[in-house]
Amino acid sequence: MARTSARRRNAHPALDLLDDAALERALRRMHLIRKFEEAAEQSYIRGLIHGTMHLSIGQEASAVGAVAPLRADDYILSTHRGHGHCIAKGADTKLMFAEFFGKDNGYCRGRGGSMHIADIAGGNLGANGIVGGGLPIAVGVGLSAKMRRSGQVCMVFFGDGASNEGAFHEALNLAAIWRLPVVFVCENNQYGMSMSTARSMPVANVADRAAAYAMPGQIVDGNDFLAVFEAAHAACEAARSGEGPSLVECKTYRLRGHSKSDRNLYRTKEEIESWRARDPIPRLRDTLVTVGRLSDARAAAIEAEAAAEIEAAVEFARTSPDPDPRELERDVYA
Amino acid sequence: MAELRFAKAINQALADAMRDDPAVVLFGEDVAAAGGPFGVTRGLLDAFGPQRVLDAPISESAIVGAAVGAALCGLKPVVEIMFMDFVTLAMDQIVNQAAKARFMFGGRGGVPLVLRMPHGGGLNAGPQHSQCLEAWLAHVPGLKVVVPATAADAYGLLRSAIDDPDPVVVVEHKGLYALSETVDETLVRVPIGQGRIARAGRDATIATYGALLREALVAADRLAAEGMSCEVVDLRSVQPWDEALLRESVARTHRLVVAHEAVEAFGVGAEIAARMVEVAFDDLDAPILRVGAPFMPVPFAKSLEMAYRPGADRIVAACRRLME
């Protein structure tokens, strides 16, 4: 693709690491996440989905930027706010929606639901309903990769709230002393349920905590795909070359509440609007168009394709069969 | 025939499993260089190297979590919780992660891990180093729980646990580690969920597991001298437990005592008694009795701990009551 030298000078260094196909894939996946979650909300309102859900609308750049440097055979572990990570790793949105709807052909045959979507074959070892629950598991995934000398990396997502859990300390400490290929990605969306990080943490940044484990702790603008990618890329390279784990903190914001029961009484409309103005999706699209890596027409087509895929995925899930009650105890062994 | 210490049987099972399958790895507190807090893993670091036998810092949650992660991607970790009391520190990883994986992932992933943990009193170790908490774990769908009473079963159950595609908790009584017994030269796997009749009898059945088996056999000897013939069933597994074997036994003896070192209330004995009432009521000639520890913390002082722990005396007393 033709690029002017002036545009190249202003461009982000991460753009040199990503070919046009990778950039398009990133933008497509960010659109898919947004549209997946908007459709999930609509399905909930229409009574098609029961239970609760934790939406990551506004956080798409951290999921897609962090996962973009991973190889297909690398692993991720995700959180209760995990639809984005799952899509970023390449999951099939039809099977995700089927799980969300509690259908028999969902990723977990309807046994897990929104908070437990896993795609083991695709390297997604599962979202987690327990805050911080995935962090110790990542240590073992890293240990397995190191022992098998597979060159694989395990990337584990967690939130600012999880960094106040004991499991965070144990996991980072163990990964550090065993020098494991683990990348700890904190999506600091600034609230653990209703409690702000200013109230829940005595330090300003989760990345400051990395010093306790003698591992690099990098802070990036979590709404900037290219910044997240660059930091995650460096962390993955370090992990793969035997330098051990790193922590990357993405400063971001969830535009929706913690869950469906959140009445948003703990933050101001102004604060939410200020973050809406930093929406990561138009930001990446505009950057790519400005530097000449994407045309307006192609950008519009990517968004339209994502919308069509999600519409089809909802329809697939809606018309899929419920699990058979006669199979209630399937996969129960003790 | 050969003499075998209980701890050595576990060590042998670990060594044989590691020799048979390169995916088997060990980690835990003091398990490598120090050879294990009770000497159970002695020599394994030298035999299999630091890649497969790892010392972990005092981090029970991370140790078990790491086992879950390793088991999700190709390894078969066998990890040790130094005292069963410390299982509290790893409960999220055991209950919410390991036990749920296969079901929650719709059968598309599982965690073949083994958690070894010593339980029980008699060492004057006090309230936080002596508990028998196996009922907690047996109450969680997704965990198998075995409690060997003999060296041969310690070997055989651990081999089966390592072979199992899902998480298995192996509970070992600290008081058994140093004891020797005569065993066959060839040690074999023992299927999980299968009990055995340790002594045949006709007047009453004493069902037990773990270290209390020895006490039950002593009790049966003493009762035999009084003319009462007791059958002793060693359950070996408490989740799943061998309901069929116990039904057969009760169909012969018509009386049942369930004995364990754990506190009696809300325990394994309560579950077995309730179930046997449901399925074997017509066979029973007397109420089912439980023998367990009183509902209180394990005391430190020798005089108090001896008064606290159930043994042959209480089993004998329970059997006599059955005949009244």
Side-chain angles (χ1 to χ4, degrees), chain B residues 247-271:
Chain B
R247 281 184 72 169
E248 287 166 25
S249 178
V250 168
R252 287 191 294 271
T253 64
H254 308 293
R255 293 176 184 83
L256 176 62
V257 170
V258 191
H260 50 57
E261 183 173 327
V263 292
E264 188 178 298
F266 294 88
V268 171
E271 170 64 20

Side-chain angles (χ1 to χ4, degrees), chain A residues 185-234:
Chain A
V185 178
C186 178
E187 294 178 295
N188 181 348
N189 63 20
Q190 309 186 44
Y191 292 90
M193 297 188 289
S194 70
M195 194 172 193
S196 68
T197 52
R199 291 171 62 218
S200 67
M201 290 172 19
V203 287
N205 308 296
V206 174
D208 295 346
R209 294 178 159 168
Y213 315 102
M215 73 171 73
Q218 200 177 341
I219 301 168
V220 295
D221 178 348
N223 283 24
D224 179 351
F225 165 82
L226 294 170
V228 175
F229 171 84
E230 192 180 21
H233 182 264

Side-chain angles (χ1 to χ4, degrees), chain B residues 34-60:
Chain B
F38 296 94
V40 169
T41 50
R42 201 170 287 152
L44 297 176
L45 173 63
D46 289 340
F48 298 99
Q51 298 293 315
R52 296 180 66 193
V53 183
L54 294 90
D55 277 323
I58 302 168
S59 301
E60 285 79 6

Side-chain angles (χ1 to χ4, degrees), chain B residues 14-289:
Chain B
L14 293 170
D16 288 353
M18 293 185 81
R19 206 166 288 124
D20 288 353
D21 185 350
V24 177
V25 297
L26 307 186
F27 48 96
E29 297 159 13
D30 283 355
V31 300
F38 296 94
V40 169
T41 50
R42 201 170 287 152
L44 297 176
L45 173 63
D46 289 340
F48 298 99
Q51 298 293 315
R52 296 180 66 193
V53 183
L54 294 90
D55 277 323
I58 302 168
S59 301
E60 285 79 6
S61 169
I63 290 167
V64 178
V68 172
L72 273 172
C73 5
L75 299 185
K76 288 185 172 178
V78 182
V79 303
E80 178 173 313
I81 300 289
M82 187 181 275
F83 285 79
M84 190 177 201
D85 312 69
F86 309 160
V87 77
T88 52
L89 295 159
M91 277 306 235
D92 175 56
Q93 289 299 326
I94 296 172
V95 175
N96 287 319
Q97 313 296 339
K100 302 292 184 283
R102 179 174 302 282
F103 180 83
M104 194 163 71
F105 296 151
R108 294 185 171 109
V111 288
L113 66 85
V114 175
L115 300 172
R116 292 182 40 246
M117 51 187 82
H119 78 167
L123 276 70
N124 305 116
Q128 297 176 340
H129 289 73
S130 305
Q131 296 169 88
C132 295
L133 301 171
E134 58 274 9
W136 286 5
L137 302 174
H139 189 63
V140 176
L143 298 176
K144 296 178 185 174
V145 182
V146 301
V147 192
T150 66
D153 286 351
Y155 178 91
L157 286 168
L158 182 52
R159 290 303 305 268
S160 293
I162 295 170
D163 289 345
D164 200 278
D166 293 301
V168 181
V169 179
V170 180
V171 183
E172 302 158 0
H173 197 289
K174 297 188 272 293
L176 294 178
Y177 283 137
L179 302 183
S180 289
E181 61 197 80
T182 307
V183 296
D184 285 339
E185 298 282 353
T186 320
L187 294 165
V188 296
R189 287 168 170 78
V190 172
I192 293 171
Q194 204 172 93
R196 74 180 177 102
I197 293 173
R199 174 190 176 121
R202 58 174 192 279
D203 296 329
T205 299
I206 305 166
T208 188
Y209 58 86
L212 220 53
L213 174 67
R214 288 169 175 259
E215 297 293 318
L217 292 170
V218 168
D221 272 344
R222 281 166 47 186
L223 290 161
E226 298 174 12
M228 180 178 178
S229 163
C230 288
E231 182 147 297
V232 178
V233 173
D234 177 5
L235 292 167
R236 305 199 283 196
S237 297
V238 299
Q239 181 61 269
W241 58 278
D242 196 342
E243 181 183 311
L245 179 71
L246 210 49
R247 281 184 72 169
E248 287 166 25
S249 178
V250 168
R252 287 191 294 271
T253 64
H254 308 293
R255 293 176 184 83
L256 176 62
V257 170
V258 191
H260 50 57
E261 183 173 327
V263 292
E264 188 178 298
F266 294 88
V268 171
E271 170 64 20
I272 291 174
R275 182 69 188 155
M276 293 309 286
V277 166
E278 287 169 6
V279 299
F281 187 78
D282 291 342
D283 285 325
L284 289 165
D285 286 346
I288 298 170
L289 296 182

